[in-house]
C-alpha cells in the first residue's frame, strides 16, 4: 500500500492548465522531492493534495483510502500535514501557542468552550516535545513577533510534526533562509524518523538533493521525469528544463 | 392598467436614480475595495446644496441645471478631500475604512440637520419639464421621463469613459487586479482620487435630480445607502452593467413592493439579494466575491 | 496574583455598593444603561473582536428580542414567557443571520450584515400590524423576580448587575477556552486553521450563537429599562454605536467593550445635555479613534503607560506574517 497516490490529476484556472494528468506514487517512509522551475505548478499540486483546491478530475488517495472528496479540514485527521512556503503563523501569539493550536486541531477538545486551554498540561507537553525536535524548546514562550525568519520556518515544521502525521508535505522549507539557518532546518528534517513519509517541494535543485530517495521533475504542470536521484540528475530532459533550450 | 403603467414608469425612474448613485459606489468598491458608507450622505448633501440654490434659501436663486452642476462639483470636491485627507491614510484596512466612512456619514447627517433643519424641502420641477408626455397608452410626467433619459445618457457616457478612454482602461485594469495595476506603473494614487471624486459627484447629481421626485429630508442618506448596497450585491462590484441591471431590478422591487405589499416592502426588496448571495455570491455580473 | 485579583475585587465591590455612594437615582439609571450596553458590546466583541467578523446589523438582533418581549406582553403573556420567547426568537434569528452572513468574511460580511440589519429595521418600521410602526410598543410593567419589583431603579440596577457579571464571567471563560483560542485562530489565519483540521465555519457559527445570546439578553434588559421599543433602536446608528463601543474600548479584549460602553453612554447622557449635536460628536470620535488610536482605548492606554513608565521600552517591531487570508 502506498503512502500517497495521485492519479491523472487535472486542474485549470480559466484556460490555463496548471496540473496536467499528474501521477505520483509515494511509498511509506519514502523521501520524495518534487522539483521544477517557478510556475511549474508545484504549490498547486500541494494545494490539490491537501484539498485546499479541488481537482477538475483525477483522484488522490492517502494510505490506501480515497480522499479525493474528503474536505481539506478532515485530511489532517487522516494523517496528512503540510507546511507553507509563505509563512502562515499566528503572529499575535507565542511560539508554543502556535504549536498548541496545531495539536488542538486534531483534538476533540477544540470544541470545548469552558475549559482553560492553558491548564491542558498534556497539550503544552506535546507542544514542547515538537519544539524540542526543531530546537526551539528554550524559546517556546517567546512571542512570534520577536522571532527570526529562520525560527519561524522551524515553527512551521514543529506545527506539522506536532500533528504526528504519516505523510508530511513540505513546501519549500528552505525558502529565504541563510546558509546557517538552512542547516538547522536540514538537521530537523533529517532527524524525522522513517515512519513519516515526506514529500518536499523545492525549486532550487541543489538545496535538497541529499534529502531525496526519489525525485519528480515538474514543468508546466506536467511530470517530465521521475526516478532516483542519479536518474533524474543525469536525464537530458532535466538539463533542458533547467538550462533551457 | 394605468396603475401598473404609472408604477412601471416610477420604477424605471427610480432605477435610473439608483444607477447614478450606485455606479460610483460600485466603482469605488471594485477599484479601491473601499466600502464607502458615506455614499448615501453624498447623495443627500448633493440634494441639499442643489435645493438651496433652486429654492433660493441663501437669497441666490439659480436655474435648476446650474444648481445641479454646482452641487455636483462641490460634492465631488468634498469626496476628493475625504479621500486625500482620511481614507488614504488607511490603505487596505477595510475595517478602519468602514468606521471612518460611517463616522463621516454621522457627521454629515447631523451637519445637514443643523444647517437645513428637520422639515423636508420640496424641490420644484425644473422649468419646462412640469407637464405630461401623452402617448397612446397613457400620460406620463415629463420630468420622470427626462430623468430616465438622463440616466441612460450617463450610462452610455460612463460606458464610453470606461471602455474607450485611457482613464477607463486604467480603472478597468485596477478593478481586475489592483496589485498588477500598481506594478505596471498606473498612478493608482491619482486614479483613486479621481474615481472617488467621480463617484461622489455622480451620487450628488443623483441627489439633486432626484429632489423633485423624492424631496430632500433628514434620513434620506440612510434610505439610499442600503439601496446602493443591494444594487451592488445584486449586480456585482466594479461592473457597470451590473449596476445598471441591479438598479432597474431594485427600482421595480422597491416601487412594486411599496405599492402592493407595503408592510413587507423591505423584505421584498432584500429577498432577491439574499438569493443572489446564496446562489451567486460574486453578484450577477461581478467577477470577485467581495 | 494579588495584582490581578485586587482591582477586580475593588471594581465588584464598587459596583455592589454603587447606589449608596453615587448620589441619586439618575446616576443609578445611567449605570444600569452602561451595564446592559456593556453586555451588548461584549456580545458584539465575541464576533468582531475575537472572531474578526464585524457585524453592522447587530442592533437588528438586539431589537428583535426587545420587540418579542413587547409583543408577547401585548398579547397578554407573562414576563417569564415573554423573556423565554425573546431568547428563543433571538437565537433562531441569530442562527439565520449567521447562515446568511458567514458565507462571506471581511468586507463582504460587513455589507451583508448591514443589509440584514436594514431588513430587520424595515420590518420593524413597516410591519405595523405587529410592531406598531413608528409608534412602537409600550411595555407597561417590569417583572418582579422573587417578589423584588424591578420597577424600583435600585432593584433594576442589581438585577442588571447580576446579569452583567454573569456575562463577563461567561466571556472570560470563553476567551480562555480551546474554542475561544480556535475562534481567534480563525480570525488571524483562517486558511491555516482549516489546514490544521478545524471546521472554520462551524467555529464561527458557534461564536455567532454566543454573541447572539448576549445580544438577546441585553435587548431584553434594554426593553425593560426604557419600557418602550421603536424602530429607532434597530437603526444603523444603533449598530454603529455598539460597534463604536467595541472599537473605542479595544476589540478582542475583555475590558475594552465595557470601557467603551461606559464612554458612549456617559457621553450620550451627559454631553447631550450641553451639546445638541450628539451624532456629530459620535462620528467625530469614530474618525478620531480610527486615525489616532486604532487599537482602542484600553490597549492604547496600556501601551502609552508602558512607554511612560519604562523609559527604554524594547522596540517591538510590528512583524506581520505574510499570506493572504
Amino acid at each position: 500500500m502506498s503512502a500517497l497516490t495521485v492519479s491523472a490529476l487535472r486542474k485549470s484556472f480559466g484556460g490555463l492548465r496548471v496540473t496536467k494528468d499528474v501521477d505520483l506514487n509515494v511509498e511509506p517512509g519514502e523521501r520524495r522531492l518534487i522539483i521544477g522551475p517557478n510556475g511549474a505548478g508545484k504549490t498547486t499540486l500541494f494545494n490539490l493534495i491537501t484539498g485546499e483546491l479541488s481537482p477538475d478530475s483525477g483522484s488522490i488517495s492517502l494510505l490506501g483510502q480515497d480522499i479525493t472528496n474528503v474536505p481539506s479540514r478532515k485530511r489532517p485527521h487522516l494523517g496528512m500535514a503540510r507546511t507553507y512556503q509563505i509563512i502562515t503563523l499566528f503572529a499575535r501569539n507565542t511560539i508554543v501557542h502556535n504549536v498548541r493550536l496545531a495539536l488542538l486541531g486534531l483534538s476533540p477538545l477544540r470544541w470545548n468552550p469552558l475549559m482553560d486551554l492553558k491548564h491542558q498540561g498534556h497539550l503544552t507537553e506535546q507542544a514542547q516535545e515538537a519544539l524540542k525536535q526543531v530546537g526551539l524548546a528554550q524559546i517556546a514562550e517567546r512571542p512570534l513577533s520577536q522571532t527570526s525568519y529562520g525560527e519561524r520556518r522551524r515553527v512551521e515544521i514543529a506545527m506539522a510534526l506536532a500533528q504526528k502525521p504519516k505523510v508530511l508535505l513540505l513546501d519549500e522549507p528552505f525558502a529565504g533562509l541563510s546558509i546557517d539557518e538552512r542547516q538547522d532546518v536540514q538537521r530537523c528534517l533529517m532527524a524525522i524518523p522513517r515512519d513519516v513519509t515526506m514529500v518536499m517541494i523545492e525549486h532550487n535543485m541543489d538545496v535538497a538533493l541529499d534529502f531525496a530517495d526519489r525525485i519528480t521533475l515538474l514543468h508546466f504542470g506536467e511530470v517530465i521525469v521521475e526516478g532516483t536521484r542519479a536518474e533524474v540528475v543525469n536525464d537530458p530532459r532535466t538539463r533542458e528544463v533547467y538550462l533551457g533550450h | 392598467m394605468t396603475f401598473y403603467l404609472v408604477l412601471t414608469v416610477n420604477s424605471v425612474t427610480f432605477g435610473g436614480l439608483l444607477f447614478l448613485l450606485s455606479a460610483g459606489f460600485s466603482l469605488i468598491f471594485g477599484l479601491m475595495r473601499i466600502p464607502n458608507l458615506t455614499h448615501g450622505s453624498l447623495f443627500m448633501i448633493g440634494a441639499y446644496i442643489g435645493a438651496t440654490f433652486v429654492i433660493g434659501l441663501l437669497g441666490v436663486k439659480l436655474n435648476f441645471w446650474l444648481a445641479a452642476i454646482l452641487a455636483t462639483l462641490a460634492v465631488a470636491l468634498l469626496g476628493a478631500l475625504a479621500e486625500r485627507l482620511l481614507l488614504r491614510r488607511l490603505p487596505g484596512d477595510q475595517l478602519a475604512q468602514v468606521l471612518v466612512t460611517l463616522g463621516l456619514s454621522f457627521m454629515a447627517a447631523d451637519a445637514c440637520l443643523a444647517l437645513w433643519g428637520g422639515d423636508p424641502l420640496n424641490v420644484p420641477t425644473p422649468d419646462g419639464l412640469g407637464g405630461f408626455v401623452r402617448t397612446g397608452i397613457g400620460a406620463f410626467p415629463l420630468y420622470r421621463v427626462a430623468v430616465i433619459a438622463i440616466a441612460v445618457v450617463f450610462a452610455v457616457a460612463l460606458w464610453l469613459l470606461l471602455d474607450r478612454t485611457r482613464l477607463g482602461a486604467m480603472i478597468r485594469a485596477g478593478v481586475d487586479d489592483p496589485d498588477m495595476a500598481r506594478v505596471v506603473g498606473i498612478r493608482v494614487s491619482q486614479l483613486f482620487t479621481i474615481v472617488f471624486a467621480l463617484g461622489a459627484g455622480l451620487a450628488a447629481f443623483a441627489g439633486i435630480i432626484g429632489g423633485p421626485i423624492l424631496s430632500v429630508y433628514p434620513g434620506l442618506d440612510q434610505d439610499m445607502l442600503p439601496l446602493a448596497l443591494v444594487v451592488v450585491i445584486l449586480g456585482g462590484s466594479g461592473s457597470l452593467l451590473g449596476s445598471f441591471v441591479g438598479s432597474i431590478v431594485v427600482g421595480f422591487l422597491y416601487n412594486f413592493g411599496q405599492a402592493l405589499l407595503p408592510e413587507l416592502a423591505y423584505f421584498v426588496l432584500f429577498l432577491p439579494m439574499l438569493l443572489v448571495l446564496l446562489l451567486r455570491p460574486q453578484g450577477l455580473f461581478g467577477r470577485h466575491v467581495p | 496574583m494579588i495584582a490581578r485579583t485586587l482591582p477586580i475585587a475593588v471594581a465588584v465591590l464598587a459596583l455592589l455598593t454603587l447606589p449608596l455612594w453615587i448620589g441619586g437615582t439618575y446616576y443609578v439609571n445611567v449605570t444600569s444603561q452602561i451595564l446592559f450596553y456593556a453586555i451588548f458590546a461584549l456580545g458584539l466583541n465575541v464576533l468582531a473582536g475575537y472572531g474578526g467578523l464585524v457585524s453592522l446589523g447587530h442592533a437588528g438582533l438586539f431589537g428583535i428580542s426587545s420587540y418579542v418581549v413587547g409583543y408577547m406582553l401585548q398579547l397578554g403573556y407573562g414576563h417569564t414567557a415573554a423573556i423565554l420567547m425573546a431568547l428563543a426568537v433571538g437565537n433562531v434569528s441569530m442562527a439565520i443571520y449567521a447562515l446568511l452572513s458567514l458565507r462571506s468574511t471581511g468586507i463582504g460580511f460587513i455589507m451583508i450584515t448591514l443589509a440584514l440589519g436594514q431588513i430587520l429595521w424595515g420590518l420593524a418600521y413597516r410591519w405595523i400590524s405587529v410592531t406598531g410602526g413608528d409608534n412602537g410598543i409600550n411595555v407597561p410593567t417590569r417583572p418582579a423576580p422573587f417578589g423584588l419589583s424591578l420597577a424600583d431603579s435600585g432593584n433594576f440596577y442589581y438585577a442588571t448587575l447580576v446579569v452583567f457579571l454573569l456575562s463577563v464571567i461567561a466571556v472570560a471563560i470563553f476567551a480562555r477556552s480551546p474554542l475561544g483560542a480556535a475562534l481567534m485562530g480563525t480570525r488571524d489565519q483562517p486558511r491555516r486553521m482549516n489546514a490544521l483540521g478545524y471546521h472554520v465555519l462551524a467555529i464561527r457559527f458557534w461564536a455567532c450563537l454566543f454573541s447572539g445570546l448576549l445580544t438577546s439578553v441585553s435587548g431584553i434588559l434594554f426593553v425593560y429599562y426604557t419600557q418602550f421599543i421603536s424602530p429607532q433602536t434597530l437603526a444603523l446608528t444603533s449598530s454603529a454605536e455598539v460597534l463604536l463601543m467595541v472599537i473605542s474600548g479595544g476589540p478582542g479584549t475583555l475590558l475594552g467593550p465595557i470601557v467603551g460602553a461606559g464612554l458612549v453612554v456617559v457621553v450620550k447622557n451627559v454631553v447631550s445635555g450641553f451639546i445638541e449635536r450628539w451624532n456629530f460628536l459620535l462620528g467625530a470620535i469614530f474618525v478620531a479613534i480610527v486615525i489616532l488610536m486604532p487599537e482602542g482605548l484600553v490597549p492604547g492606554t496600556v501601551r502609552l503607560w508602558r512607554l511612560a513608565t519604562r523609559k527604554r521600552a524594547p522596540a517591538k517591531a510590528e512583524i506581520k506574517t505574510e499570506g493572504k487570508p
Side-chain angles (χ1 to χ4, degrees):
Chain A
M1 184 185 66
S2 308
L4 179 70
T5 310
V6 166
S7 40
L9 206 62
R10 277 192 202 182
K11 178 76 184 173
S12 2
F13 293 114
L16 190 67
R17 292 169 62 197
V18 283
T19 307
K20 299 175 194 163
D21 294 310
V22 168
D23 292 308
L24 203 65
N25 193 40
V26 184
E27 294 302 318
E30 191 184 321
R31 268 82 180 113
R32 171 70 62 97
L33 180 63
I34 297 177
I35 56 171
N38 281 325
K42 304 185 297 288
T43 297
T44 303
L45 180 60
F46 263 25
N47 287 339
L48 289 168
I49 294 174
T50 58
E52 283 174 57
L53 292 173
S54 46
D56 298 336
S57 65
S59 68
I60 303 161
S61 55
L62 179 72
L63 306 161
Q65 181 189 351
D66 184 359
I67 57 163
T68 315
N69 296 316
V70 173
S72 58
R73 66 165 191 280
K74 289 196 176 150
R75 297 188 195 191
H77 297 267
L78 300 174
M80 179 187 277
R82 79 171 289 180
T83 68
Y84 287 85
Q85 179 199 348
I86 298 168
I87 290 179
T88 315
L89 296 173
F90 301 90
R92 305 192 200 198
N93 303 115
T94 58
I95 291 178
V96 69
H97 187 76
N98 272 268
V99 183
R100 218 163 20 207
L101 278 177
L103 287 161
L104 193 60
L106 299 189
S107 157
L109 261 185
R110 68 186 182 281
W111 296 113
N112 190 310
L114 300 174
M115 283 174 174
D116 191 337
L117 178 59
K118 288 231 170 64
H119 291 170
Q120 297 304 307
H122 64 285
L123 284 181
T124 310
E125 269 165 42
Q126 287 172 36
Q128 284 290 354
E129 215 168 282
L131 284 170
K132 206 178 283 171
Q133 278 182 277
V134 300
L136 292 177
Q138 287 79 14
I139 58 165
E141 292 297 335
R142 191 174 287 180
L144 199 82
S145 53
Q146 294 170 20
T147 56
S148 73
Y149 191 75
E151 285 161 351
R152 288 182 201 182
R153 279 264 168 240
R154 285 190 275 160
V155 176
E156 279 268 343
I157 295 168
M159 286 172 74
L161 287 178
Q163 295 200 319
K164 301 236 175 342
K166 300 195 178 67
V167 174
L168 174 57
L169 306 167
L170 301 155
D171 193 347
E172 301 207 19
F174 301 110
L177 296 185
S178 71
I179 293 175
D180 286 351
E181 290 171 333
R182 205 173 269 184
Q183 278 168 353
D184 289 339
V185 170
Q186 210 148 14
R187 262 196 300 274
C188 300
L189 296 182
M190 291 297 193
I192 295 171
R194 280 275 167 176
D195 55 354
V196 180
T197 308
M198 291 206 273
V199 182
M200 187 201 290
I201 288 178
E202 191 53 62
H203 77 275
N204 185 344
M205 230 167 60
D206 307 330
V207 176
L209 277 186
D210 298 343
F211 164 90
D213 298 328
R214 288 178 73 81
I215 299 176
T216 303
L217 171 64
L218 217 58
H219 191 38
F220 290 126
E222 224 167 340
V223 176
I224 306 288
V225 190
E226 188 183 308
T228 63
R229 216 182 300 172
E231 282 166 8
V232 173
V233 170
N234 295 325
D235 195 291
R237 286 170 295 182
T238 308
R239 280 151 205 250
E240 201 179 308
V241 167
Y242 268 91
L243 301 174
H245 321 296
Chain B
M1 187 62 208
T2 17
F3 172 72
Y4 286 103
L5 262 176
V6 169
L7 214 48
T8 303
V9 173
N10 289 353
S11 302
V12 179
T13 313
F14 194 62
L17 287 176
L18 278 179
F19 170 73
L20 292 175
L21 175 68
S22 59
F25 186 82
S26 174
L27 277 181
I28 291 170
F29 192 32
L31 176 69
M32 304 155 80
R33 318 297 301 152
I34 290 180
N36 179 26
L37 298 189
T38 60
H39 223 71
S41 317
L42 297 168
F43 182 92
M44 182 171 75
I45 296 173
Y48 267 124
I49 295 180
T52 304
F53 289 116
V54 174
I55 303 172
L57 288 180
L58 292 174
V60 187
K61 205 165 172 172
L62 294 179
N63 167 282
F64 184 89
W65 302 109
L66 198 58
I69 291 169
L70 250 175
T72 304
L73 291 177
V75 173
L77 185 69
L78 269 181
L81 281 178
E83 201 277 329
R84 280 267 144 177
L85 297 179
L86 292 173
L87 292 171
R88 144 148 334 211
R89 291 159 170 253
L90 312 161
D93 188 349
Q94 292 185 322
L95 177 55
Q97 291 162 352
V98 165
L99 296 175
V100 164
T101 53
L102 195 63
L104 288 176
S105 76
F106 285 179
M107 294 167 75
D110 228 19
C112 286
L113 191 62
L115 289 171
W116 284 285
D119 295 328
L121 298 182
N122 288 311
V123 183
T125 313
D127 297 336
L129 291 176
F132 286 83
V133 188
R134 281 175 218 291
T135 65
I137 42 173
F140 306 112
L142 186 55
Y143 185 67
R144 286 179 187 264
V145 177
V147 168
I148 296 172
I150 292 170
V152 169
V153 168
F154 267 79
V156 172
L158 273 175
W159 176 72
L160 286 174
L161 174 78
L162 285 178
D163 208 60
R164 296 290 155 87
T165 67
R166 205 177 126 67
L167 177 68
M170 290 195 285
I171 294 174
R172 274 183 292 128
V175 170
D176 281 349
D177 191 344
D179 299 327
M180 188 54 88
R182 264 187 206 95
V183 172
V184 298
I186 291 175
R187 291 183 60 190
V188 179
S189 151
Q190 239 180 32
L191 192 64
F192 278 14
T193 312
I194 293 172
V195 170
F196 210 89
L198 179 74
L202 278 172
F205 183 69
I208 175 63
I209 67 165
I213 298 170
L214 303 169
S215 80
V216 193
Y217 56 92
L220 180 62
D221 52 344
Q222 288 209 34
D223 285 351
M224 297 310 287
L225 175 68
L227 296 178
L229 258 174
V230 178
V231 168
V232 173
I233 290 176
L234 272 180
S237 66
S239 158
L240 202 60
L241 180 64
S243 294
F244 193 80
V245 176
S247 297
I248 300 295
V249 170
V250 172
F252 271 91
L253 288 171
Y254 189 76
N255 281 284
F256 276 78
Q258 301 265 17
L260 303 177
L261 288 168
E263 287 215 318
L264 299 175
Y266 277 87
F267 209 65
V268 173
L269 183 60
F270 285 97
L271 199 65
M273 181 194 84
L274 292 182
L275 287 178
V276 167
L277 281 173
L278 293 175
L279 303 175
R280 202 179 147 79
Q282 71 270 41
L284 295 174
F285 299 92
R287 306 216 192 123
H288 312 288
V289 178
Chain C
M1 199 61 197
I2 287 175
R4 276 188 74 81
T5 44
L6 190 67
I8 296 175
V10 170
V12 171
L13 199 67
L15 285 171
L16 282 174
T17 56
L18 184 125
L20 302 177
W21 51 265
I22 199 151
T25 315
Y26 172 76
Y27 295 104
V28 173
N29 282 337
V30 170
T31 316
S32 296
Q33 280 189 54
I34 293 177
L35 293 180
F36 65 70
Y37 274 118
I39 299 172
F40 189 10
L42 282 168
L44 180 59
N45 185 41
V46 168
L47 269 194
Y50 298 131
L53 298 162
V54 179
S55 161
L56 254 183
H58 250 54
L61 298 163
F62 180 83
I64 285 182
S65 304
S66 305
Y67 265 112
V68 171
V69 169
Y71 190 62
M72 289 288 284
L73 293 177
Q74 210 173 43
L75 292 180
Y77 289 94
H79 288 295
T80 314
I83 291 171
L84 289 178
M85 194 57 158
L87 287 173
V89 174
N91 277 287
V92 170
S93 312
M94 184 71 226
I96 298 170
Y97 185 90
L99 287 175
L100 292 169
S101 57
L102 286 179
R103 303 181 59 80
S104 195
T105 55
I107 202 63
F109 186 83
I110 298 178
M111 297 293 195
I112 295 170
T113 51
L114 197 164
L116 289 172
Q118 290 301 114
I119 298 184
L120 294 173
W121 170 81
L123 281 176
Y125 181 48
R126 285 293 176 74
W127 198 3
I128 297 166
S129 49
V130 172
T131 64
D134 248 348
N135 297 326
I137 299 179
N138 282 307
V139 173
T141 57
R142 285 178 181 174
F146 313 112
L148 270 176
S149 168
L150 298 187
D152 174 70
S153 60
N155 288 346
F156 189 86
Y157 168 77
Y158 281 114
T160 310
L161 181 61
V162 169
V163 180
F164 166 77
L165 291 175
L166 288 175
S167 305
V168 173
I169 293 168
V171 174
I173 290 175
F174 175 79
R176 293 167 164 207
S177 74
L179 187 60
L183 178 65
M184 293 177 228
T186 63
R187 168 193 66 197
D188 297 334
Q189 295 285 5
R191 198 177 138 204
R192 182 71 192 232
M193 288 300 277
N194 178 66
L196 287 175
Y198 292 89
H199 195 321
V200 174
L201 197 64
I203 291 168
R204 288 179 170 154
F205 183 74
W206 288 115
C208 280
L209 288 192
F210 184 35
S211 171
L213 178 65
L214 292 170
T215 304
S216 282
V217 166
S218 56
I220 294 166
L221 287 169
F222 165 84
V223 77
Y224 277 125
Y225 176 82
T226 56
Q227 300 190 279
F228 174 68
I229 172 75
S230 75
Q232 189 51 36
T233 304
L234 287 75
L236 177 59
T237 327
S238 307
S239 287
E241 239 171 62
V242 65
L243 186 59
L244 178 66
M245 293 174 191
V246 175
I247 304 284
S248 65
T253 64
L254 185 63
L255 193 58
I258 302 171
V259 171
L263 178 83
V264 172
V265 172
V266 167
V267 171
K268 213 172 156 176
N269 279 278
V270 179
V271 177
S272 62
F274 304 101
I275 307 173
E276 201 183 343
R277 306 261 77 91
W278 150 246
N279 269 323
F280 192 88
L281 192 65
L282 177 74
I285 297 175
F286 244 119
V287 174
I289 285 179
V290 172
I291 302 278
L292 301 175
M293 206 185 252
E295 74 266 60
L297 289 174
V298 170
T301 314
V302 169
R303 180 173 57 104
L304 290 178
W305 176 254
R306 284 205 182 127
L307 273 177
T309 49
R310 243 184 280 158
K311 277 196 178 140
R312 286 193 305 121
K316 213 174 94 183
E318 183 64 30
I319 306 168
K320 282 188 175 168
T321 46
E322 306 105 296
K324 290 178 185 172

